[in-house]
Amino acid sequence: MAETAPAALMAVVVAVSMAAWGIRDTHAEESGSAQSDYTCAYTNPNPANFSRTLSIGQTEAFTVANAFSWNVNNPSVLALTSSMGSINASVTAKKLGVATVAAASTSGQVILRSYQVVDNDNITGYTIAGGIEGSLAEAGDTLTIPITTEPAGSADRIIWQSLNESVASVAPGGIVTAVAESGAAIIQGTFTDPWGVDHTIPYMVLVGDLKGAVKTPADVFQGADGKYYKPVGTPLGVYEKVNQDGTSLAPPQYVYSPNGSPGGGGDKAAYPDGAGGYYVENPAGSNIFKKVAPDGTLTDSPAVWGGKDKTFGTSDDQPVELVPDGSGSPTYWRNMGQNVWRQTSGTTQGPLTGGGVGKNPATAMAQPVEKVGGQYFLGPIGSDGNGNQLYYGDPAGGNKLLESDASGPAGDDVLYYKDPNGNMVPVGSALIKGGDGKWYRSAGRPGVFEIVNPDGSSKVPPAYVYNPNGTPGGGGDMPALPDGNGGFFVEDPAGSNIYKEVGDDGALTDSPAVWGGNDKTFGTGDDMPALSDGSGNYYVEDPAGSNIFKKVGGDGALTDSPAVWGGNDKTFGTGDDMPALSAGGGKYYAEDPAGSNIYKEVGGDGALKDSPAVWGGGDLIFGTDDDMPVTRFDDGAGNGSYWYDMGQNVWRGVDDPEYLGPLTGGGANKNPAANKVRPIIEVDGRYYVDTVNTDPNGNNIYYGDKMTGGNGALDSGATGTAGDDVVYYMDGDGNMTTTPPIGVDIPKVAIAGRILTDAQTGDGNWVEIATSGGYSLIVRQDVIPGQTNFSAGEAGVYSNSYARNQVNSWFSKLSSSARLKQFTVGNDAMKKIGPANNIANSGFSKPNGVLAPSGNDVAFLLSSSEAIAFASKDWWPNNDRSYQSSAEARANFARLNAAKDRLEWLRTPGDMEHEEAGMNYESLGRMHGIDKDDPAFNRPALWVNSNIFG
């Protein structure tokens, strides 16, 4: 036989094993006392939207109208069978778990179907009789783990294994055999529930005698029942059930043993109140819990009634008082206030009962009691000659107690009658003669008076006024309208169609209030709640359930605008409210998120629709002429953005609330967020991908839809044509053609370029650097004021840059009287971007001869080709070698004034990642060291009629 560990060491092993498995407080103690059953139950862990269920191998077919493409997010769980463009699909369950099938429609909508694959024969719960601990006397002894499962007969799905084979082994079916003479082993069972979640079952087996292995603290003792206890200190007589080492059970358990011998019989459960006190049900089954006093005795009153659930410490508990009835059998009562009580018995509460003059409901038994308008009344106790029901109650200004009993009013109580509107009115209330000569009587609500006949009888129908100064008929009266529930409402201010309730103090309450509807009449079917914004304005949800709250105008009618969207919580006046902007036809939009300039439509369910939406334009105002419809796209990583459709699968994103981003192609997948294709150029109303590729002859190539017979969409990406797109070229006149160009005439460098003075331009000095026929290419001798970053979008895109915007802004602000504008002509510079740092035909702009004193892209930045050929000192075609420019180009460059920090932009993209084409004072055309985030200056260029020099 193997040598066994010493008893102390074995106790440590057992304790550590049980703590690691979280079963320290549930295993049987060494005394062998019985343990309660151990039960575990499992529920579906998945969200409710996975409501479609399949069993493994089961197949379901379905159809989604307009479906174009299909996808399943968890193919290991569901096998999806479908085809592109088909509206039919089917799924087959493969293994337990959840999966969602998405069907995308041609209109951009996505329909989701969520499935859960289950095996209902798997275990949903189990019970181990006697707890999760068993014992064997010696090696060779066996036991069968006493487990039952739900559903019945599923226990064979448990796989058992011993975590300490040297102490005990286990066979299928949970049959455990002791191997060692002494020790502890955890027997672990594993199984999978119907929803695919794996679980473990812990069961501790103790072999041999392990007594004495656990040290018992000094303040812990063993009761007569073999269990361990520890006094709580104060109050006396209360003990906590603990483990032998003094640690608490889970959850903690307490007993009350006034004789100081817990476990010896007579124990009662003790319940902590969370504030250091303990309560005991006394007598047993009474549902009355008495507090244990510090000396260990039970206090009879006050006590706690355990509510309908008969459980101390839950939300329906109520404080109760012991009330003597004179017979020696006191009863417990719940004090409702105003000397009104409810007797508690078991799980029920008796009727409202008055305590009479002696304030003892057990002896007075004043019933029935009725509550009206927050006050208690005894009755009805009969009726008057007019059929009015009579009651006893405390008068206005009384002692706030109902002291009467059925024999008559007592204390300061008086006799009341209930009027036809349910109001309590003191009988014999004095009639008031108003300043207008009419007779009035208090309507039972401060400030509200009933207009009555001289004999005190009510008008038919009854009529009421509200006068907060208490003098009806003397001026200041307002009609008071009963709500049928004892309350009164007053239109305030008059003509507002807002009706406020008269409060218990006679003042009008701002909230709740009622809007009188379109008929401006209180109490009719179209009344609706009116919600105060705290500034004197009221809003009404219209129509009901729309989550659109319209302001009540000065004429009492609802205004379509301004309005408020009640936010995602669909509650007016909370932190997520936003202005609701009317688009006419009953449609409303809200800006979401605030400051985004994206306005989403409020759907029929009151929630915002993500798409389609509206961009509020450059004026940041919804509903003006520059608004544009936008569509939300997902970039595939869960990030959504909004885009304006330019047509032909070209878009402009809302990159900034005030501005739309650059032209962007949506690629073959028609998704500009996930498939950004840039740069895009527009030529004669058609869009093309402006690629960085050239044909074998060095001609720049572009991708675009077929000129005739195409699908009307730019399908290509930056790396090649897609869809039915083809390759295009740009000829010398800027036109797109599928025929490779032969070449274009290059403007000639100006020899010793002339200088235009400020008197000739009205904008400082300009230098002539090239000519073409009767036209001159001139550049400003000084850079324009200010500086900017080049990039507005991606690196190296002049057509969408801040630099281009700044040049256009400068030219548009140039005085119309400036002489320069009288000779300025249009050009094709925007179609002649050119290569990064070299000379090419595509980089030379040409004048078109048309006078252009205004407009965008009349002024422009030089390209690398123009800078190298017409005004530079040297240029760099690669990273390690420079070339000297011509003498004419160097001479022209010398006439330019240097910028402050020697950095200037060009309109040509840079040749290195995240760099832009630029020049510095030493080397115009050098591409290195000018990063897109560096500040740099702009030196505008213009094509002008050469007559400007005359």
Side-chain angles (χ1 to χ4, degrees):
M1 180 179 295
E3 183 178 355
T4 57
L9 177 59
M10 183 55 65
V12 173
V13 172
V14 172
V16 171
S17 299
M18 290 189 290
W21 274 93
I23 60 173
R24 179 178 188 174
D25 296 329
T26 59
H27 76 276
E29 300 177 10
E30 292 185 15
S31 63
S33 60
Q35 295 290 302
S36 60
D37 295 347
Y38 180 83
T39 299
C40 281
Y42 302 93
T43 58
N44 190 346
N46 299 310
N49 56 303
F50 291 96
S51 58
R52 292 182 173 85
T53 59
L54 295 174
S55 299
I56 294 176
Q58 186 178 354
T59 296
E60 178 179 278
F62 51 87
T63 298
V64 174
N66 299 320
F68 181 75
S69 63
W70 300 83
N71 188 35
V72 61
N73 70 335
N74 197 345
S76 65
V77 172
L78 281 184
L80 173 66
T81 302
S82 66
S83 60
M84 180 67 70
S86 173
I87 63 172
N88 299 314
S90 64
V91 292
T92 301
K94 297 173 63 179
K95 72 172 188 178
L96 300 184
V98 293
T100 298
V101 176
S105 72
T106 55
S107 61
Q109 293 183 321
V110 176
I111 305 298
L112 303 178
R113 294 174 67 93
S114 298
Y115 288 88
Q116 181 168 244
V117 179
V118 300
D119 185 346
N120 291 323
D121 292 333
N122 279 356
I123 296 173
T124 60
Y126 65 88
T127 297
I128 301 179
I132 52 175
E133 177 187 305
S135 62
L136 294 170
E138 59 187 13
D141 287 354
T142 64
L143 65 83
T144 298
I145 297 174
I147 187 168
T148 56
T149 58
E150 290 290 338
S154 58
D156 58 353
R157 300 196 172 206
I158 302 173
I159 299 175
W160 296 99
Q161 70 174 119
S162 171
L163 300 187
N164 193 346
E165 294 280 358
S166 63
V167 173
S169 63
V170 63
I175 302 173
V176 182
T177 301
V179 175
E181 291 296 330
S182 179
I186 291 176
I187 307 301
Q188 176 180 283
T190 59
F191 67 90
T192 302
D193 67 22
W195 308 283
V197 180
D198 294 333
H199 301 281
T200 59
I201 303 172
Y203 190 81
M204 173 66 71
V205 174
L206 304 177
V207 180
D209 183 9
L210 297 181
K211 290 187 181 292
V214 180
K215 184 177 181 181
T216 304
D219 61 342
V220 175
F221 61 92
Q222 193 171 21
D225 57 358
K227 297 181 180 180
Y228 291 88
Y229 297 87
K230 178 172 66 176
V232 299
T234 301
L236 298 175
V238 178
Y239 301 85
E240 181 184 4
K241 288 184 178 181
V242 295
N243 296 305
Q244 186 178 353
D245 60 1
T247 56
S248 298
L249 304 180
Q253 299 178 27
Y254 301 88
V255 297
Y256 171 64
S257 179
N259 60 13
S261 301
D267 291 355
K268 295 182 179 179
Y271 303 95
D273 63 3
Y278 294 85
Y279 283 76
V280 175
E281 186 180 29
N282 180 256
S286 66
N287 202 21
I288 297 296
F289 296 84
K290 300 179 181 179
K291 189 173 184 179
V292 183
D295 62 358
T297 60
L298 297 182
T299 56
D300 285 334
S301 185
V304 172
W305 175 62
K308 292 183 178 180
D309 60 4
K310 298 189 71 174
T311 303
F312 178 86
T314 54
S315 59
D316 64 345
D317 291 1
Q318 298 289 343
V320 291
E321 299 178 27
L322 185 66
V323 178
D325 63 357
S327 66
S329 301
T331 51
Y332 279 92
W333 296 76
R334 177 186 171 192
N335 190 345
M336 306 299 294
Q338 301 176 40
N339 192 27
V340 174
W341 311 72
R342 295 187 69 177
Q343 184 177 6
T344 61
S345 175
T347 60
T348 62
Q349 297 184 83
L352 294 173
T353 303
V357 176
K359 302 181 181 56
N360 188 329
T363 58
M365 283 285 182
Q367 295 174 354
V369 173
E370 188 174 324
K371 188 175 185 181
V372 178
Q375 182 177 347
Y376 292 106
F377 298 85
L378 179 65
I381 48 86
S383 61
D384 62 12
N386 296 320
N388 295 309
Q389 293 179 327
L390 300 177
Y391 297 80
Y392 300 142
D394 191 48
N399 61 8
K400 309 301 181 186
L401 297 176
L402 178 60
E403 300 166 287
S404 301
D405 56 27
S407 61
D412 63 353
D413 292 354
V414 296
L415 186 64
Y416 283 83
Y417 73 89
K418 184 185 289 186
D419 70 10
N421 295 297
N423 301 309
M424 289 294 189
V425 181
V427 173
S429 295
L431 298 183
I432 302 170
K433 190 172 185 178
D436 56 0
K438 296 180 180 179
W439 292 93
Y440 297 85
R441 179 172 54 212
S442 171
R445 182 64 59 94
V448 180
F449 301 87
E450 181 185 3
I451 304 174
V452 297
N453 297 310
D455 62 357
S457 60
S458 297
K459 299 284 186 180
V460 179
Y464 302 87
V465 296
Y466 169 69
N467 192 310
N469 61 23
T471 55
D477 288 358
M478 300 174 70
L481 307 170
D483 64 359
N485 295 311
F488 289 87
F489 283 77
V490 175
E491 186 179 30
D492 180 54
S496 66
N497 203 19
I498 297 296
Y499 297 85
K500 301 178 182 178
E501 187 174 10
V502 182
D504 291 336
D505 59 355
L508 298 182
T509 59
D510 285 338
S511 182
V514 172
W515 174 65
N518 293 313
D519 61 2
K520 298 185 181 179
T521 304
F522 178 83
T524 55
D526 62 349
D527 291 0
M528 296 180 71
L531 308 172
S532 172
D533 66 358
S535 301
N537 300 314
Y538 282 87
Y539 287 78
V540 173
E541 185 179 30
D542 180 56
S546 65
N547 201 21
I548 296 296
F549 298 85
K550 299 179 181 178
K551 184 178 178 181
V552 180
D555 61 354
L558 299 184
T559 59
D560 284 340
S561 182
V564 171
W565 175 64
N568 292 314
D569 61 3
K570 299 184 180 180
T571 303
F572 178 84
T574 54
D576 64 348
D577 289 2
M578 297 179 70
L581 307 173
S582 174
K587 289 186 177 181
Y588 281 86
Y589 287 78
E591 187 180 28
D592 181 51
S596 66
N597 203 20
I598 296 296
Y599 296 86
K600 301 178 181 178
E601 184 180 352
V602 181
D605 60 355
L608 297 183
K609 300 178 182 178
D610 279 341
S611 189
V614 173
W615 174 63
D619 60 4
L620 301 176
I621 300 174
F622 176 85
T624 54
D625 291 340
D626 62 348
D627 289 2
M628 295 184 180
V630 290
T631 303
R632 187 180 188 275
F633 286 93
D634 195 292
D635 64 359
N639 303 310
S641 54
Y642 283 88
W643 297 79
Y644 173 62
D645 188 356
M646 302 293 293
Q648 303 173 43
N649 192 28
V650 174
W651 313 75
R652 292 185 69 184
V654 184
D655 294 348
D656 180 273
E658 192 173 356
Y659 302 103
L660 293 179
L663 294 173
T664 303
N669 291 332
K670 311 287 189 306
N671 185 337
N675 306 285
K676 291 181 180 176
V677 179
R678 294 175 182 164
I680 304 294
I681 64 172
E682 182 180 3
V683 179
D684 296 331
R686 293 171 61 87
Y687 294 108
Y688 302 85
V689 180
D690 186 358
T691 74
V692 297
N693 300 322
T694 58
D695 66 7
N697 296 321
N699 295 311
N700 287 343
I701 61 175
Y702 305 82
Y703 303 143
D705 189 36
K706 290 180 179 180
M707 195 68 69
T708 59
N711 63 5
L714 182 60
D715 303 303
S716 299
T719 57
T721 58
D724 62 352
D725 292 355
V726 295
V727 173
Y728 284 86
Y729 302 88
M730 184 181 292
D731 64 18
D733 296 320
N735 299 314
M736 302 304 286
T737 175
T738 56
T739 303
I742 298 173
V744 296
D745 293 334
I746 300 176
K748 297 179 180 179
V749 64
I751 307 299
R754 295 171 287 182
I755 293 180
L756 290 166
T757 66
D758 181 73
Q760 294 173 300
T761 67
D763 181 54
N765 294 349
W766 285 69
V767 178
E768 178 187 49
I769 63 172
T771 62
S772 177
Y775 300 92
S776 298
L777 177 62
I778 62 174
V779 294
R780 206 170 188 270
Q781 197 169 43
D782 292 309
V783 297
I784 60 178
Q787 63 187 35
T788 183
N789 283 349
F790 187 93
S791 180
E794 296 181 350
V797 183
Y798 172 74
S799 61
N800 299 298
S801 66
Y802 291 131
R804 176 191 178 192
N805 293 341
Q806 190 176 26
V807 171
N808 284 332
S809 176
W810 162 81
F811 186 73
S812 66
K813 294 177 182 177
L814 186 61
S815 174
S816 59
S817 62
R819 186 171 180 271
L820 182 64
K821 285 201 167 187
Q822 301 173 20
F823 297 85
T824 303
V825 296
N827 59 79
D828 62 355
M830 283 305 297
K831 300 177 182 178
K832 305 291 185 62
I833 300 301
N837 53 358
N838 213 326
I839 299 177
N841 290 353
S842 61
F844 290 95
S845 63
K846 292 175 62 179
N848 61 18
V850 179
L851 287 176
S854 63
N856 287 334
D857 300 319
V858 176
F860 55 93
L861 298 182
L862 296 178
S863 69
S864 294
S865 301
E866 291 168 328
I868 293 168
F870 305 145
S872 66
K873 298 183 70 174
D874 53 34
W875 50 285
W876 294 63
N878 50 49
N879 294 338
D880 57 1
R881 183 178 180 184
S882 65
Y883 292 84
Q884 191 173 40
S885 302
S886 68
E888 292 82 3
R890 284 184 281 123
N892 288 339
F893 181 75
R895 292 174 171 79
L896 304 179
N897 294 332
K900 179 181 178 181
D901 58 359
R902 301 186 177 186
L903 294 177
E904 297 176 30
W905 295 122
L906 297 177
R907 76 172 183 272
T908 307
D911 67 342
M912 298 180 67
E913 184 180 3
H914 304 311
E915 293 189 342
E916 318 304 336
M919 62 181 180
N920 59 31
Y921 184 74
E922 296 296 331
S923 174
L924 181 61
R926 183 175 183 178
M927 303 303 150
H928 307 296
I930 303 181
D931 189 81
K932 70 182 180 69
D933 295 322
D934 290 337
F937 291 85
N938 300 316
R939 191 188 301 276
L942 289 168
W943 276 103
V944 297
N945 191 306
S946 297
N947 292 335
I948 194 173
F949 292 94

